[in-house]
Amino acid sequence: MFEHIRLISFDLDDTLWPTKPVIMAAEQALYAWLQQQAPRLTRDMSIMDMRQGRLAFMEKHPGLAHDLTLVRRKSLEQLLEKYGYEQGLAQQGTELFRRARNCVTPWEDVLPVLNDLKGRYLLVSVTNGNTQVEQTPLANCFHLNLGAADVGAAKPHPAMFQAMARWSGLSMEQMMHVGDDWQRDMLPARRLGMSTAWVQRSCWQPHTSFRPDLCLFNLYPLRRYLRKC
């Protein structure tokens, strides 16, 4: 049933690697740095306080919410100014955070499957997050990497899917999207006419609207299904 597929897109966070421990470690690294650079700030604010501040910033500036790096820098600039520090520290802190954010550990099935598929399909990474794929262990796995900041909108907006269609010259029907999030991955891909593979690594979450073309607990079966083409 997948003979027509020429391109496969992959969500990153919680599809190819666990995200929560990476984010927590990156935020802790940034906070430790701020304790040295801006101690008045960290005496008043915890990591959770800063997180809530970013969420409030995103609500106040919805036009920027798709660019998580910009949101982090701008919200940190505001805090630094409030506590009497140079706003330029925000850029340094954001770069430190991003380096830690790139320290991901893909699940064991990811590299073997991507390496196998890359010789037969165009592979594209798409993410609402701000991981720099070229700085991760998956640096050489994709032909194209797209983030929400690149296209000006986050999933479930179709902008990233439309961008990879323009880049590849393929129709949506020739593409498959692989992701873990029902609302942000499966629904927009299906609405555009793409094939869908829903990855649920921890538990099965049935949905009544439609069934994806594939339901997976890891990527190994994806390789097996596509070898039948």
Side-chain angles (χ1 to χ4, degrees):
M1 61 182 295
F2 301 118
E3 293 88 351
H4 57 293
I5 299 299
R6 297 292 178 269
L7 180 153
I8 306 173
S9 59
F10 290 85
D11 171 62
L12 297 178
D13 290 334
D14 292 322
T15 300
L16 303 187
W17 54 64
T19 304
K20 185 176 180 180
V22 178
I23 296 292
M24 291 177 63
E27 290 190 341
Q28 288 167 358
L30 173 59
Y31 193 77
W33 182 81
L34 286 170
Q35 286 177 315
Q36 299 296 318
Q37 301 295 326
R40 293 190 299 275
L41 189 162
T42 55
R43 278 198 295 268
D44 280 1
M45 300 194 70
S46 66
I47 291 176
M48 183 58 68
D49 293 331
M50 294 176 65
R51 189 177 300 158
Q52 292 300 320
R54 285 195 305 279
L55 293 175
F57 181 91
M58 292 170 73
E59 291 181 2
K60 187 175 180 180
H61 303 279
L64 303 180
H66 65 277
D67 190 335
L68 299 183
T69 299
L70 182 61
V71 166
R72 184 173 293 277
R73 179 169 61 81
K74 289 290 188 181
S75 61
L76 186 53
E77 283 177 355
Q78 289 183 356
L79 286 178
L80 289 165
E81 182 179 28
K82 176 182 176 181
Y83 284 92
Y85 295 103
E86 291 292 330
Q87 290 187 357
L89 287 173
Q91 180 64 33
Q92 297 177 44
T94 301
E95 291 174 357
L96 182 149
F97 175 88
R98 293 199 78 183
R99 289 194 294 271
R101 178 70 170 89
N102 293 331
C103 294
V104 300
T105 303
W107 277 293
E108 64 179 12
D109 54 289
V110 172
L111 271 169
V113 173
L114 292 181
N115 286 334
D116 182 43
L117 296 178
K118 189 176 181 182
R120 298 186 288 131
Y121 300 91
L122 292 174
L123 300 188
V124 179
S125 74
V126 293
T127 182
N128 286 353
N130 55 357
T131 303
Q132 296 162 293
V133 182
E134 63 277 8
Q135 302 297 324
T136 75
L138 304 185
N140 299 313
C141 291
F142 299 100
H143 299 95
L144 177 68
N145 301 302
L146 290 172
D150 298 319
V151 300
K155 298 176 294 177
H157 193 283
M160 274 185 276
F161 299 115
Q162 293 167 339
M164 67 187 189
R166 290 192 298 271
W167 168 79
S168 66
L170 298 172
S171 68
M172 294 294 181
E173 290 74 18
Q174 293 174 291
M175 302 179 189
M176 171 184 283
H177 182 56
V178 182
D180 71 294
D181 191 289
W182 187 264
Q183 297 291 333
R184 296 179 178 88
D185 290 307
M186 296 298 97
L187 287 180
R190 173 59 64 89
R191 287 168 179 161
L192 290 169
M194 300 173 66
S195 297
T196 52
W198 192 24
V199 181
Q200 289 287 284
R201 291 183 178 272
S202 57
C203 62
W204 177 243
Q205 300 176 10
H207 197 282
T208 57
S209 295
F210 71 83
R211 293 187 64 84
D213 297 295
L214 294 174
C215 299
L216 311 173
F217 290 109
N218 57 62
L219 298 189
Y220 285 130
L222 179 64
R223 180 169 57 182
R224 185 170 64 249
Y225 281 112
L226 292 173
R227 277 180 177 166
K228 297 178 182 179
C229 299

